[in-house]
Amino acid sequence: MKIAVIGDTHLGYPRFYSDSFIQARAAFKDADQKADLILFLGDLYDSRVPSLQVLGEAISLFRELKTPVYAIHGNHERRSRGALNPVELLQKAGFLTHLHLDSAIFEKDGEKVFLAGFGNVPDDLALRALEKLKEKVTPPTDSFSILLIHQSFKEFVYGENLSSIHDLEPLNYSLYLNGHIHAHKTGMDGKFLIPGSTVLTQLTREETKPKGYILYDTNSKTHEFVEIPSRKFIFEEIEFENTFPKEAQERIKEKLSELKAPKTIIKLRIKGTLAQGFKTSDLTLPSEEGVFIDNRLNERHLKKEIEKIREMRENKLSLRDLSEQRLRERLEGKISLFDPQKLFEYLLDGPEAGMEYLKTKRT
Ligand SMILES: [Mn+2]
């Protein structure tokens, strides 16, 4: 059986709005031709409440597919228990099967594949969620089994208290498929696969690699990465040393004209130092469509470097996850009458909504 694995299409991603649709379509349409089954790993949308425009685009795309789709939701779609998320909405419309702490058997031409999935949970709850899955779902030993997840793992992402891909091994699946990480990766000798996103989002050096999806063959137990046409992304660096602003500006301009090509996205990191007495504000940086300047000039001080690392680390955990985690930690063991995640959801709508929720929980 041929299985296509697609992840992180981020439909409606504001910075590259039309790319998000064009490239997701390219992946799904190609997969539809080549695979018997399509698995989707979460973050179909960029928002947990996508606009009607975005939902409309998703519906038109899914209507065109002939291959069955099984999917989980990502952190961008996660909502509190009981609230419908936009991936589940597509299940209601009959376009896919949503798997959350749940399993299904897919059969074609006499070959059976066991599928289980859990949608994204905050990183600090990942191990607990794995335990829960283990209690609820047991993969059969006599057929090929696949687990779909959408989490961070310390082998691929820098962060504190992240689980390891080896925490998955006791679950005994034949294959683990993970979304969330936006570049194609493999682990556990090909038993752990990440297709990466189909659209450019983070503008990191990693994302200069081609975008695409994974095509897995259950007979040979091997996979190939299928590239999709996508916007070219270049990441370059210029280092200055005691350079006068005028000269620095010239070099930036030269570099950009050398790299520039139609539709190409360029990220140019500038670092090092300007001539003594000059500040980065003495430099006029170009603002052009598709060009992103990452200004790290005059950042040699250790304190700043440390701050940067801390910032990077915290950005790995989204602001929402971080706030939710703080709320949970503060309430830990103190109050058991309500669900902190639910309270958080209501608080997002304002303090009144939060109070209303608490009132309904009062006995
Ligand atoms: Mn994502």
Side-chain angles (χ1 to χ4, degrees), residues 124 317 320-330:
D124 59 315
L317 210 59
R320 194 188 144 175
D321 279 3
L322 206 64
S323 321
E324 231 184 273
Q325 186 185 329
R326 295 248 159 96
L327 183 66
R328 243 192 338 269
E329 280 165 7
R330 296 182 74 159

Side-chain angles (χ1 to χ4, degrees), residues 103-238:
S103 66
I105 289 168
F106 178 78
E107 190 172 354
K108 196 180 175 186
D109 305 327
E111 188 187 347
K112 273 187 197 168
V113 169
F114 180 85
L115 306 167
F118 76 85
N120 176 264
V121 295
D123 284 328
D124 59 315
L125 299 183
L127 285 180
R128 226 188 284 175
L130 286 179
E131 281 302 313
K132 216 161 151 189
L133 178 79
K134 208 173 168 187
E135 280 165 29
K136 265 193 94 172
V137 178
T138 314
T141 46
D142 59 347
S143 65
F144 196 76
S145 56
I146 305 175
L147 179 63
L148 281 59
I149 40 178
H150 189 100
Q151 296 296 139
S152 292
F153 288 95
K154 65 177 171 206
E155 283 83 358
F156 307 105
V157 179
Y158 182 75
E160 276 164 56
N161 307 318
L162 292 181
S163 13
S164 156
I165 56 174
H166 300 292
D167 294 330
L168 297 166
E169 278 168 331
L171 296 171
N172 284 317
Y173 285 83
S174 324
L175 181 66
Y176 302 91
L177 301 173
N178 187 35
H180 197 48
I181 291 161
H182 284 193
H184 168 48
K185 307 263 180 191
T186 62
M188 289 185 201
D189 298 320
K191 274 182 72 180
F192 180 95
L193 305 175
I194 299 172
S197 66
T198 56
V199 65
L200 181 67
T201 57
Q202 294 153 337
L203 299 176
T204 54
R205 203 186 292 272
E206 282 247 288
E207 282 202 299
T208 55
K209 288 190 211 154
K211 296 291 183 196
Y213 71 93
I214 284 171
L215 196 58
Y216 191 89
D217 187 335
T218 57
N219 295 317
S220 63
K221 311 257 189 299
T222 56
H223 76 278
E224 59 170 311
F225 183 74
V226 184
E227 257 184 66
I228 53 161
S230 59
R231 281 276 284 275
K232 194 175 175 185
F233 173 51
I234 303 173
F235 189 116
E236 285 269 348
E237 229 172 55
I238 308 183

Side-chain angles (χ1 to χ4, degrees), residues 8 10 42-43 75-76 150 180-182:
D8 296 86
H10 286 263
D43 285 0
N75 53 318
H76 281 254
H150 189 100
H180 197 48
I181 291 161
H182 284 193

Side-chain angles (χ1 to χ4, degrees), residues 283-296:
L283 205 64
T284 315
L285 295 170
S287 76
E288 288 170 49
E289 159 86 59
V291 174
F292 299 86
I293 307 274
D294 179 15
N295 186 349
R296 301 200 174 182

Side-chain angles (χ1 to χ4, degrees), residues 223-287:
H223 76 278
E224 59 170 311
F225 183 74
V226 184
E227 257 184 66
I228 53 161
S230 59
R231 281 276 284 275
K232 194 175 175 185
F233 173 51
I234 303 173
F235 189 116
E236 285 269 348
E237 229 172 55
I238 308 183
E239 185 153 8
F240 297 110
E241 205 186 325
N242 298 321
T243 312
F244 283 96
K246 212 169 163 206
E247 195 201 323
Q249 251 159 254
E250 267 317 302
R251 278 180 59 195
I252 293 169
K253 221 173 117 190
E254 255 169 49
K255 189 77 182 171
L256 287 178
S257 64
E258 177 194 314
L259 298 174
K260 210 131 197 218
K263 299 197 88 188
T264 299
I265 298 160
I266 301 166
K267 182 166 172 181
L268 187 61
R269 174 173 290 167
I270 50 174
K271 57 188 215 179
T273 52
L274 287 177
Q276 214 168 22
F278 289 101
K279 298 185 295 292
T280 52
S281 53
D282 296 322
L283 205 64
T284 315
L285 295 170
S287 76

